[in-house]
Amino acid sequence: HRLALVTLPHIGAKFSVVVPRDALPALTTIDAADVQVGKNFMLFTSGNRSLLVRLALTPFPQWKPIMPRLVNRVVVDGGALLGMLRRAQITRSETFKVGSGLSRGGMRFTLNGCLTGEVVENDKGAFSEELELVGECEPITTGFNPDYLKEFLATGEGECEIGWTDARSAFQFQWVSESSYTYIVVPRRV
């Protein structure tokens, strides 16, 4: 599971809406100067470009309780992490069905002075790579769906901060240079 939380600059009255996941990549391409909110839509306008987004009509589950209390924080280079995830994809096996397609297996991550990403040995081989971390933390091992992390890494560049409470709680990913975009990923067993 994952959740993206975007905080826009003050645009008048305070409100909260649920924007469909498919619309989020398009929102990153428009520098919204004007935002209009209707009962079931939002219109973003900038110059001669407009984006009309239909809002979710069903009530959204309570998401605030899963926001992690950030006991641990480290920083990693986002480009290096994305490169690691792409290289690891070769050895990830297709393990389970999700919706209409197959989802690849998870990836194990160990944080212990460095970030180690591993795909356990299977019929396609094994993968292990280390990345440098900035910051101290207690050693932990957890698992993620790397496709979820790639979704976050596609939204920016530079250094990203990873924050968490423990290995089984939700992890928070945020760009160091852009704090308006927060991405929450719930770990999975690998």
Side-chain angles (χ1 to χ4, degrees), residues 46-178:
S46 177
N48 63 352
R49 296 178 67 193
S50 296
L51 176 66
L52 182 68
V53 176
R54 184 173 180 204
L55 301 176
L57 300 176
T58 57
F60 196 72
Q62 292 293 323
W63 56 270
K64 287 185 181 179
I66 70 157
M67 297 295 283
R69 293 177 298 114
L70 301 180
V71 175
N72 301 287
R73 293 176 192 236
V74 293
V75 174
V76 66
D77 178 86
L81 180 56
L82 181 59
M84 173 203 286
L85 298 173
R86 287 179 177 157
R87 288 184 290 279
Q89 186 167 350
I90 298 167
T91 58
R92 289 175 49 219
S93 61
E94 295 176 355
T95 56
F96 57 93
K97 272 193 165 184
V98 176
S100 61
L102 290 174
S103 177
R104 292 185 178 272
M107 192 168 166
R108 180 179 299 139
F109 293 89
T110 302
L111 292 99
N112 186 10
C114 63
L115 172 68
T116 304
E118 297 177 282
V119 176
V120 224
E121 190 170 339
N122 60 39
D123 60 332
K124 292 186 177 184
F127 174 86
S128 180
E129 187 173 321
E130 287 186 359
L131 296 178
E132 187 176 314
L133 288 177
V134 176
E136 299 286 325
C137 67
E138 293 291 320
I140 65 159
T141 299
T142 191
F144 292 112
N145 180 335
D147 295 331
Y148 294 170
L149 300 183
K150 287 194 294 189
E151 285 177 6
F152 165 73
L153 294 167
T155 66
E157 56 186 36
E159 294 183 321
C160 71
E161 180 183 73
I162 305 170
W164 70 95
T165 305
D166 59 52
R168 289 186 278 175
S169 300
F171 280 61
Q172 175 178 302
F173 293 81
Q174 197 168 41
W175 293 106
V176 171
S177 61
E178 178 60 49

